[in-house]
Amino acid sequence: MYIGFDYGTANCSVASMDGNDPTLHLLEKDSFYIPSTLAAPTRDSVAEHLFRHRDLAPLDADGEQRLRRAIAANREEDIDLQFDDVMFGQAALDLYLSDPHEVYYVKSPKSFLGAMGLREAQLGFFEDLVCAMMANIKSQAEKSAQQIITDAVIGRPVNFQGRGGEASNIQAETILRRAATRAGFRNIEFQFEPVAAGLEYEASLTEDKTVLVVDIGGGTTDCSLIKMGPSWAGKADRNDSLIAHTGQRIGGNDLDIHMTFKQLMHPFGFGSRTLSGLEMPLTQFWNPIAINDVSAQAKFFAKENLKDLKHLHKEAAEPEKLARLLSVYHDTLGYSLVKKAEEAKIALSDSQVFTAQLKVLSELIDVDIRLDEMIEAIEVPKSKMVELVSEAVTLGGTKPDVIFMTGGSARSPILRSAVEQVLPNIPLVSGNYFGSVTAGLARWAKVCFE
């Protein structure tokens, strides 16, 4: 059996073909979508979980050495790892939110795969993370389909997050391929996510059109200008139909992070001063919430930064605020703060004000966020997304007949309005915001594997 596999930054989903129509498969309880999250007792638990409970051995000697170190570290901490100790999706998020201090939690590992300067051990660890998530998803999908899955077309952005250009893309795709191979997939192909979304839209066309696909995912925004329609449907060679691609590491997570920074970090000392009148350093409020930036996270949660935070607390004119920032450090609260901003972003699509409740130390802090404040907070990432739309049309040298928007953040009326302002008088349509890429990947899998 073959599938289309959307290994997303925010959520994952898979689909197979039922005749000429894609069918999504249940991955978590009654949901077709599973959040891209993992929780475990320790960082070292992931490698042991794969070997001990899923019978998935490392691919090489480096992996075997990493596994031995992980098992030894768990034994030192007297951890007897059980199958259910490693959790995925909403269950992982619920566990983290219930007690963040006692859980090793990862959200959106896809965001880190293209980061340059990673050591071999770090690359191997990301392979373990992705493999664990893929193995869980493969197992759940096989239960849903009641068939063994052997082949997959995996979606990928035009450009992965990372400053290495094509080197970042090669590194990220290599990690995904190694992880998928280890998880049990036999034949693996990749397809650009916006192209996949376009293939799903193409199935509804009765005449050829030039379509601009705007895919705003959790980690990236990708735009593809594509010739589509009955003349192209089902063709294995689509090179002549692909007019232009643009893509950047800017997505829904970035909207949430900017929202968190501008609207939720003031109770933690953002904008406050020391007793001598100096402003608090901005990086101490950005780094803990930059959940898609390996370097920023490493700097904030480094042991040496604890000394700096304690010094700022001692020198603060409002020490109670810096005490909360220390709690962000000790309890790794960055993910939960960004989650609150995401909730606010969604709520403000339908209202003018939202009250975010932040639980820190023994306090429950209410922060009111107005719609105009949110619009101002996300201006920088929004502008970058819109630039990608314009760039795709410029590179293609032709205007589209229609704009097809997909991805979770494409639901935002603010982003949709921004795209309409750049390309006025062109019809803007949408399908399944979360499922279009997955369905298109399944359609391409049919072309690849039948």
Side-chain angles (χ1 to χ4, degrees):
M1 176 182 173
Y2 60 79
I3 59 168
F5 191 161
D6 183 9
Y7 181 73
T9 304
N11 296 284
C12 300
S13 55
V14 303
S16 60
M17 293 299 293
D18 182 8
N20 292 320
D21 297 315
T23 298
L24 291 167
H25 293 285
L26 295 174
L27 298 181
E28 187 174 36
K29 295 182 179 179
D30 59 349
S31 177
F32 298 122
Y33 308 100
I34 182 169
S36 303
T37 58
L38 177 150
T42 65
R43 174 190 173 104
D44 294 302
S45 299
V46 181
E48 183 177 355
H49 171 81
L50 286 170
F51 180 73
R52 183 176 176 186
H53 294 298
R54 293 194 181 270
D55 198 26
L56 299 176
L59 296 178
D60 51 33
D62 287 339
E64 291 172 359
Q65 187 178 30
R66 190 169 65 250
L67 173 61
R68 286 194 295 271
R69 286 197 299 264
I71 292 174
N74 283 334
R75 295 302 167 270
E76 271 187 33
E77 296 191 35
D78 199 26
I79 295 174
D80 181 16
L81 192 70
Q82 302 301 308
F83 180 86
D84 290 335
D85 288 343
V86 177
M87 306 182 76
F88 304 90
Q90 188 62 44
L93 177 58
D94 291 342
L95 180 63
Y96 162 71
L97 293 176
S98 68
D99 193 357
H101 186 64
E102 295 298 323
V103 176
Y104 179 78
Y105 177 76
V106 178
K107 178 184 178 182
S108 309
K110 183 180 177 182
S111 300
F112 306 129
L113 303 186
M116 291 286 93
L118 297 177
R119 300 186 303 275
E120 284 298 321
Q122 291 173 304
L123 292 172
F125 175 64
F126 285 130
E127 180 191 312
D128 288 343
L129 280 177
V130 176
C131 179
M133 295 172 70
M134 285 185 167
N136 174 66
I137 289 167
K138 183 174 183 289
S139 174
Q140 296 301 321
E142 287 173 342
K143 289 180 184 176
S144 174
Q146 296 187 329
Q147 293 187 60
I148 299 299
I149 298 169
T150 56
D151 308 327
V153 171
I154 301 173
R156 55 152 288 184
V158 174
N159 289 305
F160 284 89
Q161 296 192 30
R163 295 183 173 89
E166 189 55 25
S168 289
N169 291 333
I170 292 171
Q171 174 179 286
E173 190 171 297
T174 298
I175 294 172
L176 287 173
R177 185 179 294 278
R178 284 175 60 90
T181 299
R182 193 171 158 201
F185 293 102
R186 184 179 62 199
N187 297 303
I188 301 161
E189 299 289 341
F190 290 92
Q191 179 59 274
F192 289 138
E193 290 159 353
V195 172
L199 292 174
E200 175 61 8
Y201 176 61
E202 182 179 63
S204 68
L205 295 178
T206 56
E207 60 180 340
D208 289 353
K209 291 181 181 292
T210 299
V211 182
L212 177 63
V213 181
V214 180
D215 179 12
I216 308 177
T220 57
T221 294
D222 292 308
C223 303
S224 290
L225 196 62
I226 315 173
K227 295 177 184 177
M228 293 189 161
S231 299
W232 297 98
K235 285 189 175 182
D237 184 358
R238 296 289 302 242
N239 287 333
D240 290 341
S241 72
L242 307 179
I243 304 171
H245 294 300
T246 59
Q248 260 190 35
R249 57 176 298 273
I250 194 84
N253 284 349
D254 297 276
L255 301 176
D256 301 336
I257 290 166
H258 278 75
M259 272 271 288
T260 309
F261 183 63
K262 292 290 186 69
Q263 298 300 320
L264 298 183
M265 295 308 290
H266 293 283
F268 301 89
F270 176 45
S272 66
R273 295 178 179 271
T274 65
L275 291 168
S276 60
L278 296 175
E279 290 187 358
M280 292 291 172
L282 294 180
T283 54
Q284 294 288 15
F285 306 98
W286 176 263
N287 287 350
I289 59 170
I291 59 173
N292 56 4
D293 187 329
V294 175
S295 176
Q297 292 278 282
K299 287 176 182 176
F300 182 80
F301 290 105
K303 289 183 179 179
E304 52 267 29
N305 192 46
L306 180 57
K307 185 186 298 183
D308 294 338
L309 291 173
K310 288 180 177 178
H311 178 73
L312 290 175
H313 180 230
K314 183 179 179 181
E315 297 294 321
E318 300 174 275
E320 71 281 0
K321 292 185 176 180
L322 272 296
R324 297 177 189 136
L325 188 62
L326 278 166
S327 181
V328 172
Y329 176 95
H330 288 300
D331 296 337
T332 58
L333 297 179
Y335 286 109
S336 61
L337 290 173
V338 175
K339 179 67 175 175
K340 287 295 180 182
E342 181 187 17
E343 292 172 3
K345 178 187 69 177
I346 294 170
L348 289 170
S349 296
D350 300 314
S351 61
Q352 293 294 311
V353 65
F354 176 80
T355 300
Q357 291 191 323
L358 311 179
K359 186 177 181 181
V360 57
L361 297 173
S362 58
E363 301 176 277
L364 191 61
I365 305 167
D366 288 344
V367 180
D368 291 333
I369 305 173
R370 298 195 309 273
L371 177 60
D372 59 338
E373 292 173 331
M374 182 194 78
I375 294 173
E376 181 182 354
I378 66 173
E379 178 59 32
V380 170
K382 184 197 78 172
S383 296
K384 290 181 179 179
M385 293 172 179
V386 172
E387 285 173 12
L388 291 171
V389 173
S390 299
E391 184 183 349
V393 174
T394 301
L395 287 174
T398 184
K399 284 191 174 182
D401 299 312
V402 63
I403 304 165
F404 178 70
M405 289 188 69
T406 190
S409 292
R411 295 173 298 169
S412 166
I414 297 169
L415 298 181
R416 294 174 71 84
S417 175
V419 171
E420 288 176 321
Q421 289 176 24
V422 172
L423 295 172
N425 304 317
I426 297 176
L428 192 156
V429 299
S430 298
N432 183 330
Y433 288 110
F434 293 103
S436 293
V437 169
T438 317
L441 291 171
R443 291 184 184 279
W444 191 246
K446 183 176 183 178
V447 174
C448 292
F449 301 128
E450 282 194 356

